[in-house]
Structure formats: structure tokens, C-alpha cells
Amino acid sequence: MAKTKKINLALQGGGSHGAFTWGVLDRILEDGRLEFAAISGTSAGAMNAVVCADGLMKGGNDGAREALEHFWSEMSKTAKTSPIQRAPFDVFMGNWSLENSPGYHFFDALTRIMSPYQTNPFNMNPLHRLIEEVVDFERVRACDATKLFISATNVETGRVKVFDPHKLTADMVMASACLPMVFQAVEVDGVPYWDGGYMGNPALFPFHTQTDCSDIVVIQINPVERAGAPRTAQDIMNRVNEISFNSSLLKELRSIDFVSRLIREGKLSKEEYRDTRIHIIENQDALLPLGASSKMSAEWAFLTHLRDLGRKTAQSWLSANFDHIGTKATVDISKLFQGIGPEHQG
């Protein structure tokens, strides 16, 4: 077996599309050649991160795989009674979209005219109860198998907050996943927080000072590019959210690329600055057609479809890029800012 290599993992949020990340993690853990120096996660990425860390502490890679499957399975069971389900026609045709779901459209319209303080005054959140039931936070706080960076957006200041991993709680994870039109702001130590995706999806900066690993692997589930201008109000809002949730990540990638170029040009010292190597695992060809509405679906058949897609994508990525970990980046960041998608090198 090849010698193991260390990476920093960056896990994006994206609703139930986080099951794609589950699949990627499952295949990487099964492969066993990569160790996680640190994991930074936001929203669904934060949930995957804490569940993975809990499993690693409990039973190593196999424990992490079991924990992730258990979490997503319980997620699906919790959503079975939800009115947001695929329309019978879409089930028959094999479409995963919720565009024809009356429950989805009713909920979407309701969030545009009423706040969660009006629609859910008692602030009930089954997801909060689920994460408390499946994750042993005492074990997560004591985790020495990897470092955890869970981020949320401070509602009052608009700044990103990366929570102390040694004090991590279910509330902090829920703060990271708090969409403001769906959930009431989550208060942590008296401070209200919203979804971390607005200011860090996920945050990369903790890797630079908190680990000595120079390889960052981003598991990307939110599309950077989407052809054509959206026409419907719903499509416009979905695209605005995609752009907003990618902006902070792209800014950090731009900064990393800028520093790396200065190092290569000899304008910055390699002794004082780190030449970070970026890698991206994504499959937009498969995820884009699913549409934004499918992020609300927690149907088990859909989640396992995404898991299998993630496993297949991870296997292709490992085959093409494992040898480059620790030696060179496998994505040309500069092309992300030229309207050109990731180009895998080597």
C-alpha cells in the first residue's frame, strides 16, 4: 500500500447535496491513503465534518464511514413526513427535481412573505435534535484525529466566526447551517449567527496557521458557473444564492493563487510564506442538472444516488491525482477567474 499523505479538507454546504460529499469522504476513507490534517466545513459540510470526526475517534476510518452512513440514513428517516416530496410524475420519470412539488412551492412562497419567527415561533428544528442524537460532542471536542473548523456568519457584524473546536456544540453546527429565511438565528453565547456560507463556504484561512499541511482539497458542490440568465423569480433567487455562497471561497482561492505566484516569481520568501497546493473534487456535469430545488430533498434513494456519484467521482480523482498530493496543485486557480472551469493537470 502506498504511503499515506496528509491533506486539509474543505467541505462546502449545499443542503442534501452534501450527500455527494458523504460519498467522496466514504471512498477516500475506504481507500485509506489520505489522512485529514484538518477539516473545515460549513452548513451540510459542517455536519459531514463533525460526524466524520466523531466516527474517526470512535473507530478510525471504518468508524467514520459507519457514522456518515448512519447520519444520512437518519436524516432521510426524519424527512419522511415532510410535505416537501417529489411529485408522482417525477418519481415515475426518474427526475430528482422538486420543481413540480406543491409542498416545495408552498414552502418557498411562504419563506418569501413570512419570517421563521412567524412561521415557527417555537423554533422547532428536527435537524438540531438529529445532530445531537447521532454525534457525541464530548468525543468531537476531544478529537485528536483531525482538527475541526466550523464556521458561521455573525448576524450583527457580518463577519465569519470559526468556532473553537474544543468547545464545539450542536448549536454551533446548527448556526453554521442556519438559512435566515428558513430558521431563526442561532444564538451562541448571546450572539446571533446565520449560515456560514455567506462569509466562508468553507473558510480556508484556518489551514494556513493551524496546520503544517500545504495541500487543500475542496469538495465543491455549488456550481461556480451556470449558463444563461435565469428568468423566473425562483431561478433568479437560486442563482443569487449560488453566487453569494461561492464568493468568499473564490476570494480566498484568489488570494492563495496570488501568494503562490509571488513565491514562484521569487518576490516572497518560501521560508516565510507557504506555497499552498489546491485540489478540487467536483462533478458539476452531474450536479448541475439536478437543480437547486433538489437540495431540499432528503429522500433515501436520492441521497444514495448522490453518495454513489460522490464515490465514483472520488475514485476518478484519486486515480488521476493522488501522486500529485504533496508535490503540485491539480487545479489551475487562475483559470477560475477567466471564466474557465477547473483544469486538472498531470
Side-chain angles (χ1 to χ4, degrees), residues 241-263:
N241 287 334
E242 285 177 345
I243 293 171
S244 299
F245 275 45
N246 274 321
S247 62
S248 57
L249 176 63
L250 292 176
K251 285 178 181 177
E252 287 201 80
L253 289 175
R254 187 192 293 270
S255 298
I256 289 171
D257 180 59
F258 179 65
V259 171
S260 294
R261 282 191 288 111
L262 291 179
I263 292 173

PDB file of all heavy atoms in Angstrom, residues 241-263:
ATOM      1  N   ASN A 241     -28.180  33.127  -4.644  1.00  0.00           N
ATOM      2  CA  ASN A 241     -27.652  32.369  -3.517  1.00  0.00           C
ATOM      3  C   ASN A 241     -26.387  31.602  -3.893  1.00  0.00           C
ATOM      4  O   ASN A 241     -25.433  31.537  -3.111  1.00  0.00           O
ATOM      5  CB  ASN A 241     -28.714  31.400  -2.987  1.00  0.00           C
ATOM      6  CG  ASN A 241     -29.813  32.098  -2.223  1.00  0.00           C
ATOM      7  OD1 ASN A 241     -29.608  33.179  -1.668  1.00  0.00           O
ATOM      8  ND2 ASN A 241     -30.995  31.512  -2.200  1.00  0.00           N
ATOM      9  N   GLU A 242     -26.366  31.016  -5.084  1.00  0.00           N
ATOM     10  CA  GLU A 242     -25.177  30.291  -5.523  1.00  0.00           C
ATOM     11  C   GLU A 242     -23.978  31.224  -5.621  1.00  0.00           C
ATOM     12  O   GLU A 242     -22.871  30.886  -5.182  1.00  0.00           O
ATOM     13  CB  GLU A 242     -25.432  29.643  -6.883  1.00  0.00           C
ATOM     14  CG  GLU A 242     -26.314  28.414  -6.833  1.00  0.00           C
ATOM     15  CD  GLU A 242     -26.604  27.831  -8.191  1.00  0.00           C
ATOM     16  OE1 GLU A 242     -26.364  28.520  -9.210  1.00  0.00           O
ATOM     17  OE2 GLU A 242     -27.070  26.684  -8.272  1.00  0.00           O
ATOM     18  N   ILE A 243     -24.203  32.402  -6.198  1.00  0.00           N
ATOM     19  CA  ILE A 243     -23.114  33.373  -6.335  1.00  0.00           C
ATOM     20  C   ILE A 243     -22.632  33.832  -4.963  1.00  0.00           C
ATOM     21  O   ILE A 243     -21.421  33.896  -4.696  1.00  0.00           O
ATOM     22  CB  ILE A 243     -23.567  34.579  -7.182  1.00  0.00           C
ATOM     23  CG1 ILE A 243     -23.805  34.125  -8.638  1.00  0.00           C
ATOM     24  CG2 ILE A 243     -22.532  35.701  -7.138  1.00  0.00           C
ATOM     25  CD1 ILE A 243     -24.467  35.182  -9.500  1.00  0.00           C
ATOM     26  N   SER A 244     -23.584  34.132  -4.074  1.00  0.00           N
ATOM     27  CA  SER A 244     -23.223  34.591  -2.727  1.00  0.00           C
ATOM     28  C   SER A 244     -22.444  33.522  -1.975  1.00  0.00           C
ATOM     29  O   SER A 244     -21.449  33.804  -1.301  1.00  0.00           O
ATOM     30  CB  SER A 244     -24.489  34.953  -1.936  1.00  0.00           C
ATOM     31  OG  SER A 244     -25.203  35.990  -2.557  1.00  0.00           O
ATOM     32  N   PHE A 245     -22.875  32.266  -2.099  1.00  0.00           N
ATOM     33  CA  PHE A 245     -22.256  31.199  -1.336  1.00  0.00           C
ATOM     34  C   PHE A 245     -20.921  30.750  -1.918  1.00  0.00           C
ATOM     35  O   PHE A 245     -20.191  29.998  -1.272  1.00  0.00           O
ATOM     36  CB  PHE A 245     -23.215  30.007  -1.232  1.00  0.00           C
ATOM     37  CG  PHE A 245     -24.194  30.131  -0.099  1.00  0.00           C
ATOM     38  CD1 PHE A 245     -24.861  31.322   0.132  1.00  0.00           C
ATOM     39  CD2 PHE A 245     -24.457  29.070   0.737  1.00  0.00           C
ATOM     40  CE1 PHE A 245     -25.755  31.459   1.168  1.00  0.00           C
ATOM     41  CE2 PHE A 245     -25.357  29.186   1.788  1.00  0.00           C
ATOM     42  CZ  PHE A 245     -26.006  30.384   2.004  1.00  0.00           C
ATOM     43  N   ASN A 246     -20.594  31.209  -3.113  1.00  0.00           N
ATOM     44  CA  ASN A 246     -19.285  30.896  -3.690  1.00  0.00           C
ATOM     45  C   ASN A 246     -18.294  32.049  -3.559  1.00  0.00           C
ATOM     46  O   ASN A 246     -17.087  31.844  -3.701  1.00  0.00           O
ATOM     47  CB  ASN A 246     -19.416  30.543  -5.180  1.00  0.00           C
ATOM     48  CG  ASN A 246     -19.743  29.075  -5.409  1.00  0.00           C
ATOM     49  OD1 ASN A 246     -19.241  28.205  -4.721  1.00  0.00           O
ATOM     50  ND2 ASN A 246     -20.586  28.813  -6.385  1.00  0.00           N
ATOM     51  N   SER A 247     -18.797  33.257  -3.318  1.00  0.00           N
ATOM     52  CA  SER A 247     -17.943  34.444  -3.397  1.00  0.00           C
ATOM     53  C   SER A 247     -16.786  34.412  -2.410  1.00  0.00           C
ATOM     54  O   SER A 247     -15.642  34.730  -2.760  1.00  0.00           O
ATOM     55  CB  SER A 247     -18.780  35.712  -3.185  1.00  0.00           C
ATOM     56  OG  SER A 247     -19.367  35.726  -1.904  1.00  0.00           O
ATOM     57  N   SER A 248     -17.050  34.011  -1.163  1.00  0.00           N
ATOM     58  CA  SER A 248     -15.981  34.013  -0.161  1.00  0.00           C
ATOM     59  C   SER A 248     -14.919  32.980  -0.492  1.00  0.00           C
ATOM     60  O   SER A 248     -13.710  33.236  -0.336  1.00  0.00           O
ATOM     61  CB  SER A 248     -16.561  33.749   1.233  1.00  0.00           C
ATOM     62  OG  SER A 248     -17.273  32.521   1.253  1.00  0.00           O
ATOM     63  N   LEU A 249     -15.339  31.807  -0.962  1.00  0.00           N
ATOM     64  CA  LEU A 249     -14.373  30.776  -1.338  1.00  0.00           C
ATOM     65  C   LEU A 249     -13.506  31.237  -2.494  1.00  0.00           C
ATOM     66  O   LEU A 249     -12.280  31.062  -2.483  1.00  0.00           O
ATOM     67  CB  LEU A 249     -15.101  29.479  -1.719  1.00  0.00           C
ATOM     68  CG  LEU A 249     -14.216  28.338  -2.238  1.00  0.00           C
ATOM     69  CD1 LEU A 249     -13.242  27.877  -1.166  1.00  0.00           C
ATOM     70  CD2 LEU A 249     -15.080  27.168  -2.711  1.00  0.00           C
ATOM     71  N   LEU A 250     -14.119  31.849  -3.495  1.00  0.00           N
ATOM     72  CA  LEU A 250     -13.358  32.320  -4.653  1.00  0.00           C
ATOM     73  C   LEU A 250     -12.359  33.409  -4.256  1.00  0.00           C
ATOM     74  O   LEU A 250     -11.254  33.472  -4.787  1.00  0.00           O
ATOM     75  CB  LEU A 250     -14.303  32.840  -5.734  1.00  0.00           C
ATOM     76  CG  LEU A 250     -15.171  31.774  -6.422  1.00  0.00           C
ATOM     77  CD1 LEU A 250     -16.132  32.420  -7.417  1.00  0.00           C
ATOM     78  CD2 LEU A 250     -14.302  30.743  -7.128  1.00  0.00           C
ATOM     79  N   LYS A 251     -12.741  34.269  -3.312  1.00  0.00           N
ATOM     80  CA  LYS A 251     -11.818  35.313  -2.847  1.00  0.00           C
ATOM     81  C   LYS A 251     -10.604  34.692  -2.160  1.00  0.00           C
ATOM     82  O   LYS A 251      -9.468  35.136  -2.369  1.00  0.00           O
ATOM     83  CB  LYS A 251     -12.538  36.257  -1.876  1.00  0.00           C
ATOM     84  CG  LYS A 251     -13.496  37.219  -2.554  1.00  0.00           C
ATOM     85  CD  LYS A 251     -14.210  38.099  -1.533  1.00  0.00           C
ATOM     86  CE  LYS A 251     -15.190  39.035  -2.209  1.00  0.00           C
ATOM     87  NZ  LYS A 251     -15.956  39.845  -1.219  1.00  0.00           N
ATOM     88  N   GLU A 252     -10.850  33.674  -1.351  1.00  0.00           N
ATOM     89  CA  GLU A 252      -9.726  33.014  -0.671  1.00  0.00           C
ATOM     90  C   GLU A 252      -8.838  32.285  -1.671  1.00  0.00           C
ATOM     91  O   GLU A 252      -7.611  32.309  -1.560  1.00  0.00           O
ATOM     92  CB  GLU A 252     -10.247  32.054   0.398  1.00  0.00           C
ATOM     93  CG  GLU A 252     -10.792  32.746   1.631  1.00  0.00           C
ATOM     94  CD  GLU A 252     -10.818  31.828   2.831  1.00  0.00           C
ATOM     95  OE1 GLU A 252      -9.765  31.642   3.466  1.00  0.00           O
ATOM     96  OE2 GLU A 252     -11.902  31.291   3.137  1.00  0.00           O
ATOM     97  N   LEU A 253      -9.447  31.645  -2.664  1.00  0.00           N
ATOM     98  CA  LEU A 253      -8.659  30.961  -3.686  1.00  0.00           C
ATOM     99  C   LEU A 253      -7.837  31.963  -4.493  1.00  0.00           C
ATOM    100  O   LEU A 253      -6.689  31.690  -4.857  1.00  0.00           O
ATOM    101  CB  LEU A 253      -9.576  30.161  -4.615  1.00  0.00           C
ATOM    102  CG  LEU A 253     -10.235  28.919  -4.016  1.00  0.00           C
ATOM    103  CD1 LEU A 253     -11.212  28.299  -5.009  1.00  0.00           C
ATOM    104  CD2 LEU A 253      -9.192  27.895  -3.592  1.00  0.00           C
ATOM    105  N   ARG A 254      -8.415  33.126  -4.763  1.00  0.00           N
ATOM    106  CA  ARG A 254      -7.685  34.170  -5.487  1.00  0.00           C
ATOM    107  C   ARG A 254      -6.463  34.628  -4.687  1.00  0.00           C
ATOM    108  O   ARG A 254      -5.376  34.820  -5.243  1.00  0.00           O
ATOM    109  CB  ARG A 254      -8.597  35.360  -5.781  1.00  0.00           C
ATOM    110  CG  ARG A 254      -7.961  36.411  -6.687  1.00  0.00           C
ATOM    111  CD  ARG A 254      -8.813  37.680  -6.693  1.00  0.00           C
ATOM    112  NE  ARG A 254     -10.102  37.447  -7.326  1.00  0.00           N
ATOM    113  CZ  ARG A 254     -10.327  37.601  -8.621  1.00  0.00           C
ATOM    114  NH1 ARG A 254      -9.343  37.943  -9.421  1.00  0.00           N
ATOM    115  NH2 ARG A 254     -11.528  37.416  -9.119  1.00  0.00           N
ATOM    116  N   SER A 255      -6.646  34.796  -3.372  1.00  0.00           N
ATOM    117  CA  SER A 255      -5.536  35.218  -2.512  1.00  0.00           C
ATOM    118  C   SER A 255      -4.433  34.162  -2.480  1.00  0.00           C
ATOM    119  O   SER A 255      -3.244  34.480  -2.538  1.00  0.00           O
ATOM    120  CB  SER A 255      -6.039  35.480  -1.084  1.00  0.00           C
ATOM    121  OG  SER A 255      -6.990  36.518  -1.065  1.00  0.00           O
ATOM    122  N   ILE A 256      -4.839  32.896  -2.402  1.00  0.00           N
ATOM    123  CA  ILE A 256      -3.860  31.812  -2.401  1.00  0.00           C
ATOM    124  C   ILE A 256      -3.079  31.792  -3.699  1.00  0.00           C
ATOM    125  O   ILE A 256      -1.849  31.632  -3.718  1.00  0.00           O
ATOM    126  CB  ILE A 256      -4.571  30.456  -2.171  1.00  0.00           C
ATOM    127  CG1 ILE A 256      -5.078  30.369  -0.723  1.00  0.00           C
ATOM    128  CG2 ILE A 256      -3.638  29.283  -2.477  1.00  0.00           C
ATOM    129  CD1 ILE A 256      -5.982  29.179  -0.465  1.00  0.00           C
ATOM    130  N   ASP A 257      -3.785  31.965  -4.805  1.00  0.00           N
ATOM    131  CA  ASP A 257      -3.136  31.979  -6.119  1.00  0.00           C
ATOM    132  C   ASP A 257      -2.156  33.141  -6.229  1.00  0.00           C
ATOM    133  O   ASP A 257      -1.045  33.000  -6.761  1.00  0.00           O
ATOM    134  CB  ASP A 257      -4.196  32.075  -7.219  1.00  0.00           C
ATOM    135  CG  ASP A 257      -3.591  32.098  -8.609  1.00  0.00           C
ATOM    136  OD1 ASP A 257      -2.880  31.148  -8.973  1.00  0.00           O
ATOM    137  OD2 ASP A 257      -3.824  33.086  -9.340  1.00  0.00           O
ATOM    138  N   PHE A 258      -2.544  34.302  -5.694  1.00  0.00           N
ATOM    139  CA  PHE A 258      -1.696  35.494  -5.751  1.00  0.00           C
ATOM    140  C   PHE A 258      -0.392  35.265  -4.975  1.00  0.00           C
ATOM    141  O   PHE A 258       0.707  35.542  -5.481  1.00  0.00           O
ATOM    142  CB  PHE A 258      -2.450  36.689  -5.176  1.00  0.00           C
ATOM    143  CG  PHE A 258      -1.665  37.970  -5.152  1.00  0.00           C
ATOM    144  CD1 PHE A 258      -1.263  38.574  -6.342  1.00  0.00           C
ATOM    145  CD2 PHE A 258      -1.318  38.582  -3.953  1.00  0.00           C
ATOM    146  CE1 PHE A 258      -0.542  39.754  -6.328  1.00  0.00           C
ATOM    147  CE2 PHE A 258      -0.604  39.755  -3.931  1.00  0.00           C
ATOM    148  CZ  PHE A 258      -0.211  40.349  -5.123  1.00  0.00           C
ATOM    149  N   VAL A 259      -0.514  34.716  -3.758  1.00  0.00           N
ATOM    150  CA  VAL A 259       0.674  34.449  -2.945  1.00  0.00           C
ATOM    151  C   VAL A 259       1.558  33.401  -3.616  1.00  0.00           C
ATOM    152  O   VAL A 259       2.792  33.534  -3.662  1.00  0.00           O
ATOM    153  CB  VAL A 259       0.271  33.993  -1.526  1.00  0.00           C
ATOM    154  CG1 VAL A 259       1.483  33.493  -0.750  1.00  0.00           C
ATOM    155  CG2 VAL A 259      -0.404  35.133  -0.774  1.00  0.00           C
ATOM    156  N   SER A 260       0.954  32.363  -4.163  1.00  0.00           N
ATOM    157  CA  SER A 260       1.721  31.304  -4.822  1.00  0.00           C
ATOM    158  C   SER A 260       2.496  31.837  -6.018  1.00  0.00           C
ATOM    159  O   SER A 260       3.658  31.465  -6.246  1.00  0.00           O
ATOM    160  CB  SER A 260       0.782  30.169  -5.266  1.00  0.00           C
ATOM    161  OG  SER A 260       0.217  29.517  -4.155  1.00  0.00           O
ATOM    162  N   ARG A 261       1.891  32.729  -6.784  1.00  0.00           N
ATOM    163  CA  ARG A 261       2.586  33.307  -7.937  1.00  0.00           C
ATOM    164  C   ARG A 261       3.764  34.167  -7.496  1.00  0.00           C
ATOM    165  O   ARG A 261       4.837  34.141  -8.116  1.00  0.00           O
ATOM    166  CB  ARG A 261       1.613  34.134  -8.786  1.00  0.00           C
ATOM    167  CG  ARG A 261       0.709  33.261  -9.670  1.00  0.00           C
ATOM    168  CD  ARG A 261      -0.056  34.064 -10.700  1.00  0.00           C
ATOM    169  NE  ARG A 261      -1.107  34.852 -10.083  1.00  0.00           N
ATOM    170  CZ  ARG A 261      -1.109  36.175 -10.001  1.00  0.00           C
ATOM    171  NH1 ARG A 261      -0.076  36.874 -10.452  1.00  0.00           N
ATOM    172  NH2 ARG A 261      -2.119  36.812  -9.448  1.00  0.00           N
ATOM    173  N   LEU A 262       3.588  34.919  -6.410  1.00  0.00           N
ATOM    174  CA  LEU A 262       4.676  35.753  -5.895  1.00  0.00           C
ATOM    175  C   LEU A 262       5.829  34.889  -5.390  1.00  0.00           C
ATOM    176  O   LEU A 262       6.999  35.239  -5.552  1.00  0.00           O
ATOM    177  CB  LEU A 262       4.169  36.666  -4.780  1.00  0.00           C
ATOM    178  CG  LEU A 262       3.199  37.780  -5.198  1.00  0.00           C
ATOM    179  CD1 LEU A 262       2.765  38.594  -3.973  1.00  0.00           C
ATOM    180  CD2 LEU A 262       3.839  38.701  -6.236  1.00  0.00           C
ATOM    181  N   ILE A 263       5.498  33.747  -4.796  1.00  0.00           N
ATOM    182  CA  ILE A 263       6.548  32.824  -4.332  1.00  0.00           C
ATOM    183  C   ILE A 263       7.305  32.252  -5.524  1.00  0.00           C
ATOM    184  O   ILE A 263       8.539  32.203  -5.535  1.00  0.00           O
ATOM    185  CB  ILE A 263       5.933  31.691  -3.479  1.00  0.00           C
ATOM    186  CG1 ILE A 263       5.394  32.253  -2.159  1.00  0.00           C
ATOM    187  CG2 ILE A 263       6.971  30.599  -3.201  1.00  0.00           C
ATOM    188  CD1 ILE A 263       4.627  31.234  -1.334  1.00  0.00           C
TER     189      ILE A 263
END
